[in-house]
Amino acid sequence: MFVLFLLLLCVSSCVAETTQRKPQYDELYASGVRAYFDGEWDNCIKNLEEAIKLYHFYNHALKECSELCNDETAQLKDYVMAKATCDQKCEERIFNNAVDTLRMNPQVDEAFKHRKPYTYLQYAYFKKGKVRKAVQATYTFLQHDPEDEAMVDNLDYYKSRDDYSDDMLLDLEQLPMLEAYKKGADAYVSGYYAQAVELLKFAVSEFFKEEGLCRTRCDRSYDVGPEYLLGTKRQHEQTNDHFQQVLECNLGCVNEVAAISNKLALINFLPELYNYMQFAYYQLGNFKEANRCAKSYLVFLPEDETMATNIGYYEVDEEVFPEDDVIRLKKRIELQLGLLGYYYRTFGIKGDLDSFIPYKLKKAKEERKDVGPKAEGKNPKGEMKNNVAATDAEIKEVEEIPEVVQKKESVDDELEPSSDPNPNFADGKLGGYKSWQEKTDDMIDSRDISNIRRQGLGREKREVGDGENSETLDLQKRLDNLNEKIEATSIGRRVIDSPNKIVITDSSSVSEKPIVESEIPDAYTLLANSTQMGGPLRFALDGLAATDQCRTLIDLELAGGRYGDGYYGNQSPHTPQERFHGLTLGDAIRQSERGLLPVEAVRLYDSISDEALKLTKSYFKLEKELYFDYTHLVCRTALKPKEGEKYDELSHPIHGDNCLLNTDGSCEKKSPAYTWRDYSAIVYLNDDFDGGEFIMTDPTARQVTLEVMPKCGRLVSFSAGSDCLHGVKPVKKGRRCAVALWFTHDPDHDERKRIRVELAGSKYFSAEKDEL
């Protein structure tokens, strides 16, 4: 409470000096990164250091608010609303409206979580000759990601310098909790039990604060994913999804707090703290607290017979109970697990509840087997057993943090993509196959679920559910009928052809040779200008890729693509009658670095995308710089419809790329749309499928005014705004592939810069090596 008072006093006095809004840490971070790429090392260092300070203050304040509000509302019936109100008032009082706690850029939060600012700082420090700070920044980042090759090489370089010394190795982001745990473990092993108790008690206290902070940050705005926002999510669907996100995030906090790197976490961290303390208290003769710590341990691992036996040695005159914080944490975990399990069962989600159980005895036993020292003294009732493994400050008891991906498909039991794809698949050659179709089918069979298996699982599902209550089935039928009626009138999903619809298949389908509105290189053929395509800011041309190049890119996606929309795992983002796969440029580069994809094919992907950007900028005579916002090599595969099922009207509903479509057909440029996007382009790679025509509509989003048939090497480029509402007709048979591109004038959304930063030191960029 005293700390919170100081925070209130400090912030109030600071904010009172000026009414002008100060930059927040996400803005300072963006300014620092921009300065980094501009080579302004002083500004880079200044902004990033300030961003880190403000980020630390922000988190410290949130921890204090979380602790305060938990204390004040623990007995209130309406806990959720009471805590939310308390948190809001506390944050408003501390930050005095100077920090918008709900509107921080989530990408920046992820960057701080993964210590990205230090990757920029280490190089900026190096350029300014500040070797000690450069070493500290490098070492700090490597504590979170010890496998980053570029930063490992950088640290090796610094260690080779004459001005290097080991005292430079300082983790600037080490949590006080982990530091106290390391020192407490060392004190315990060395026999300094009183010191060990004080350090471990502090670690326990900090654990609950950090876990509370983590849960506070889970209570954020609903993350719908950064793409395909124009789907038909209804209010109850959004509420349910948000509820699931918050529950899963909350349950992950116990392990996240105990993480010591991006892939490793301490096993059973909180119980082990009490494990150390119960034996240290025993050695000090404080049986009451030893008893309390043992019982606190058993709250999480009640089946541990060794600890249960130890309690028998702690003779005390009064009844002792576990720590209150432990009881509250246990009850909350059980409640949240119950709610999440109910949610999974109710909505048919294939979630693994066991992955959210933070404490498991089996792993603890396996780690401790035959390594724990025995107690030297004996109790009259027998030998006291030491349940603690000898652990040094290196903290070797770790396990990988599993990534849990929830799947909402109630019928399909999806096969994961091959973990060892054959790079030779992505060579654009037939190899030993008799036809392209045979090669494609073979690769799809090795990765995708077959229609036969899909239908078989559907039958199994129906057979299992045969005993369901008839009222439930009738309700489901009524819901299905209602859903059909709603979708029949949904804007963007149902369209009709205009009597004057323009259809473009090849040059012969255009009434006359197009008037070139801007200079086009001789290697390309202008297919249609904006007038011939029925509206402003659009054009189509052929020749951007040759047949062998298109085939190579299709093979590239087959070998390295992932299920889903590339953003948040939705495997059929637009229609259940298609399976969606995609490969981002960044992911392609990463896989090529690991030898999973041929780098030549990835460079082709990169170069064709770059040429599409240049043509877009040139044709529209754009004076401002144009940047990539997102690059996605995507394929849609038609699934055989079930018996009696009709194809959806559209494969991709009508939408604008930087605005939200309203029921009247208007498209508003506002959040959560990608308002920074200015132009879009599509490079088609094949035409050996049925359906899948690219379409544009009139301003009402109901009448199709333009239809373009995909073809290898065909580029369609257009404005991302409301004047180019577009979609895709259903793919009825085969596989439709294209490179989808979004461009922006805003350098803050430059995808290529993001990729270069994330993959700093990559061999892919070896032609442009940095000095270090």
Side-chain angles (χ1 to χ4, degrees):
M1 293 296 292
F2 179 69
V3 175
L4 181 61
F5 172 75
L6 291 179
L7 282 170
L8 294 171
L9 182 63
C10 173
V11 176
S12 298
S13 62
C14 292
V15 175
E17 294 178 2
T18 176
T19 59
Q20 184 178 1
R21 177 185 174 278
K22 294 183 178 180
Q24 301 181 23
Y25 68 80
D26 56 346
E27 297 168 323
L28 288 168
Y29 174 74
S31 298
V33 173
R34 194 178 301 115
Y36 173 89
F37 285 108
D38 291 339
E40 299 175 359
W41 309 118
D42 288 327
N43 284 336
C44 172
I45 292 171
K46 176 184 176 182
N47 283 302
L48 290 179
E49 286 181 342
E50 286 299 316
I52 291 171
K53 289 179 183 177
L54 188 56
Y55 178 76
H56 287 163
F57 165 73
Y58 170 74
N59 284 312
H60 185 66
L62 288 186
K63 278 194 290 186
E64 296 298 330
C65 282
S66 176
E67 187 177 28
L68 172 67
C69 292
N70 277 334
D71 289 344
E72 289 190 353
T73 62
Q75 303 301 321
L76 293 179
K77 182 179 180 181
D78 192 0
Y79 174 81
V80 175
M81 290 301 298
K83 185 177 185 307
T85 302
C86 178
D87 283 339
Q88 181 180 353
K89 289 182 178 179
C90 182
E91 291 173 24
E92 288 176 353
R93 183 71 181 94
I94 289 181
F95 299 119
N96 198 21
N97 295 319
V99 176
D100 188 351
T101 58
L102 290 180
R103 292 297 177 189
M104 293 299 182
N105 188 319
Q107 294 178 342
V108 175
D109 275 342
E110 281 297 303
F112 275 88
K113 178 180 175 180
H114 296 293
R115 304 190 181 185
K116 288 290 186 182
Y118 292 99
T119 63
Y120 301 109
L121 277 173
Q122 70 89 20
Y123 190 68
Y125 286 141
F126 169 76
K127 296 294 287 186
K128 297 299 294 183
K130 300 180 179 181
V131 177
R132 175 175 290 274
K133 286 193 171 185
V135 173
Q136 291 175 349
T138 305
Y139 183 76
T140 297
F141 177 80
L142 285 173
Q143 298 314 294
H144 175 75
D145 189 357
E147 297 179 359
D148 188 284
E149 294 181 4
M151 295 295 272
V152 169
D153 290 343
N154 287 351
L155 187 59
D156 289 342
Y157 162 78
Y158 290 127
K159 289 182 176 180
S160 70
R161 292 172 59 108
D162 293 336
D163 51 358
Y164 167 81
S165 60
D166 287 340
D167 65 339
M168 294 179 178
L169 299 177
L170 178 64
D171 183 359
L172 302 173
E173 291 287 333
Q174 185 176 57
L175 292 175
M177 174 193 72
L178 290 177
E179 184 177 7
Y181 168 66
K182 291 179 182 181
K183 292 180 178 178
D186 280 345
Y188 167 86
V189 172
S190 301
Y192 301 115
Y193 298 114
Q195 183 182 2
V197 163
E198 293 305 313
L199 288 166
L200 295 170
K201 283 173 61 178
F202 177 78
V204 168
S205 173
E206 286 297 304
F207 170 86
F208 285 110
K209 288 184 179 181
E210 292 294 336
E211 197 267 345
L213 169 63
C214 178
R215 287 186 289 106
T216 297
R217 297 188 76 108
C218 288
D219 184 22
R220 57 185 181 270
S221 298
Y222 172 42
D223 178 14
V224 296
E227 186 53 270
Y228 302 119
L229 297 178
L230 300 177
T232 56
K233 288 252 181 178
R234 299 176 177 85
Q235 183 178 9
H236 74 276
E237 292 175 318
Q238 293 184 6
T239 302
N240 288 337
D241 286 352
H242 191 187
F243 181 63
Q244 178 189 352
Q245 286 180 13
V246 172
L247 275 179
E248 291 175 346
C249 182
N250 270 261
L251 285 167
C253 281
V254 170
N255 282 333
E256 183 172 323
V257 168
I260 59 173
S261 75
N262 59 351
K263 290 185 178 180
L264 299 174
L266 294 166
I267 296 174
N268 296 325
F269 178 65
L270 184 60
E272 288 305 315
L273 289 175
Y274 286 107
N275 186 16
Y276 276 110
M277 286 197 294
Q278 63 91 23
F279 194 71
Y281 275 124
Y282 167 77
Q283 293 285 13
L284 293 171
N286 190 339
F287 286 6
K288 179 179 178 180
E289 291 307 315
N291 189 307
R292 190 187 311 282
C293 289
K295 289 182 176 178
S296 297
Y297 175 97
L298 288 171
V299 168
F300 299 111
L301 301 172
E303 64 273 33
D304 192 322
E305 296 178 0
T306 301
M307 188 63 74
T309 302
N310 285 354
I311 290 180
Y313 298 109
Y314 306 136
E315 295 181 352
V316 292
D317 296 332
E318 56 185 294
E319 188 174 2
V320 177
F321 299 97
E323 296 281 356
D324 290 341
D325 286 336
V326 169
I327 297 296
R328 281 195 291 267
L329 176 60
K330 175 68 172 179
K331 287 182 177 179
R332 185 174 67 246
I333 290 173
E334 289 178 341
L335 174 62
Q336 290 172 336
L337 282 170
L339 289 172
L340 190 59
Y342 173 79
Y343 180 85
Y344 285 168
R345 293 190 300 274
T346 302
F347 295 98
I349 298 173
K350 299 176 183 177
D352 181 11
L353 279 180
D354 286 345
S355 65
F356 291 103
I357 299 175
Y359 304 124
K360 299 174 184 177
L361 179 63
K362 183 179 179 181
K363 291 182 179 178
K365 287 287 189 181
E366 289 174 351
E367 292 293 326
R368 286 202 298 263
K369 189 175 181 181
D370 297 329
V371 296
K374 298 293 182 181
E376 295 179 2
K378 288 190 176 181
N379 186 283
K381 293 184 179 180
E383 184 182 11
M384 166 64 191
K385 298 180 181 180
N386 177 17
N387 211 25
V388 179
T391 307
D392 59 22
E394 294 294 324
I395 310 185
K396 295 177 181 177
E397 288 194 9
V398 294
E399 67 174 347
E400 280 208 12
I401 302 174
E403 291 186 11
V404 180
V405 179
Q406 305 303 331
K407 301 178 180 179
K408 294 193 176 184
E409 296 284 335
S410 60
V411 175
D412 296 350
D413 185 14
E414 299 294 351
L415 292 175
E416 293 298 323
S418 170
S419 60
D420 185 23
N422 187 345
N424 295 324
F425 272 150
D427 56 7
K429 300 177 182 179
L430 278 175
Y433 296 97
K434 297 178 180 179
S435 67
W436 291 116
Q437 188 62 49
E438 181 183 349
K439 179 176 181 179
T440 299
D441 290 345
D442 186 30
M443 295 180 72
I444 291 175
D445 287 344
S446 70
R447 186 180 65 176
D448 295 354
I449 187 169
S450 68
N451 287 325
I452 295 174
R453 183 169 178 234
R454 181 174 185 263
Q455 292 171 345
L457 286 170
R459 285 195 297 271
E460 285 183 19
K461 183 84 172 179
R462 287 192 293 273
E463 289 169 1
V464 171
D466 282 343
E468 288 184 284
N469 188 301
S470 60
E471 292 182 4
T472 303
L473 295 176
D474 289 341
L475 174 61
Q476 185 61 48
K477 188 174 181 180
R478 292 201 303 271
L479 288 173
D480 290 342
N481 292 335
L482 177 61
N483 186 52
E484 288 180 6
K485 292 179 181 178
I486 293 174
E487 289 195 355
T489 57
S490 293
I491 186 69
R493 286 196 167 273
R494 297 289 185 266
V495 294
I496 60 173
D497 287 343
S498 166
N500 301 317
K501 182 183 71 172
I502 300 170
V503 178
I504 298 176
T505 55
D506 52 35
S507 57
S508 64
S509 62
V510 181
S511 58
E512 57 186 32
K513 187 176 180 179
I515 299 174
V516 180
E517 298 168 317
S518 184
E519 184 177 348
I520 296 289
D522 294 338
Y524 312 120
T525 302
L526 182 64
L527 185 62
N529 60 26
S530 56
T531 302
Q532 291 167 310
M533 295 181 73
L537 295 174
R538 59 189 77 173
F539 74 92
L541 61 77
D542 285 339
L544 187 56
T547 302
D548 61 333
Q549 293 176 320
C550 290
R551 190 66 241 180
T552 295
L553 292 182
I554 292 174
D555 284 358
L556 183 69
E557 192 285 320
L558 282 166
R562 301 180 186 278
Y563 282 120
D565 49 26
Y567 303 90
Y568 53 104
N570 191 350
Q571 296 175 8
S572 299
H574 308 304
T575 169
Q577 289 148 356
E578 293 176 7
R579 182 68 69 236
F580 201 93
H581 299 85
L583 178 66
T584 64
L585 181 62
D587 194 20
I589 295 173
R590 291 186 189 92
Q591 292 191 53
S592 71
E593 290 284 280
R594 304 202 308 270
L596 301 177
L597 295 176
V599 68
E600 296 80 6
V602 178
R603 290 196 185 280
L604 176 64
Y605 178 15
D606 195 356
S607 64
I608 286 179
S609 303
D610 190 57
E611 187 66 13
L613 180 145
K614 292 177 181 177
L615 287 167
T616 300
K617 182 181 179 183
S618 172
Y619 190 89
F620 292 133
K621 300 177 182 179
L622 305 177
E623 295 182 359
K624 292 178 64 178
E625 190 60 54
L626 199 62
Y627 306 94
F628 286 97
D629 175 59
Y630 200 76
T631 308
H632 204 194
L633 171 55
V634 296
C635 291
R636 308 160 188 262
T637 305
L639 298 176
K640 184 179 179 180
K642 301 174 184 177
E643 185 177 351
E645 185 179 50
K646 295 181 180 180
Y647 282 104
D648 274 357
E649 182 69 19
L650 294 178
S651 168
H652 195 153
I654 302 302
H655 64 283
D657 285 335
N658 67 6
C659 55
L660 297 179
L661 191 62
N662 296 319
T663 55
D664 61 358
S666 62
C667 203
E668 292 186 78
K669 196 172 182 179
K670 65 178 183 180
S671 178
Y674 303 103
T675 55
W676 57 85
R677 289 179 174 172
D678 297 295
Y679 294 91
S680 305
I682 307 166
V683 182
Y684 295 105
L685 302 177
N686 66 323
D687 60 5
D688 54 341
F689 53 87
D690 293 343
E693 297 90 349
F694 173 83
I695 57 175
M696 285 190 175
T697 70
D698 65 357
T700 68
R702 296 187 184 278
Q703 287 199 40
V704 177
T705 58
L706 172 69
E707 183 176 292
V708 180
M709 184 62 196
K711 176 185 175 182
C712 170
R714 178 163 292 171
L715 168 69
V716 176
S717 188
F718 49 93
S719 165
S722 59
D723 47 2
C724 289
L725 300 179
H726 59 283
V728 179
K729 286 194 171 182
V731 180
K732 298 181 180 180
K733 182 180 179 182
R735 187 178 180 86
R736 177 190 191 269
C737 297
V739 177
L741 303 161
W742 293 270
F743 308 131
T744 178
H745 288 306
D746 187 350
D748 287 343
H749 293 279
D750 185 351
E751 178 196 42
R752 294 303 192 265
K753 276 189 179 180
R754 294 197 302 269
I755 292 175
R756 287 179 178 273
V757 171
E758 291 172 1
L759 301 177
S762 166
K763 296 177 182 178
Y764 185 84
F765 303 114
S766 59
E768 303 174 16
K769 287 182 178 178
D770 287 335
E771 180 179 350
L772 182 56

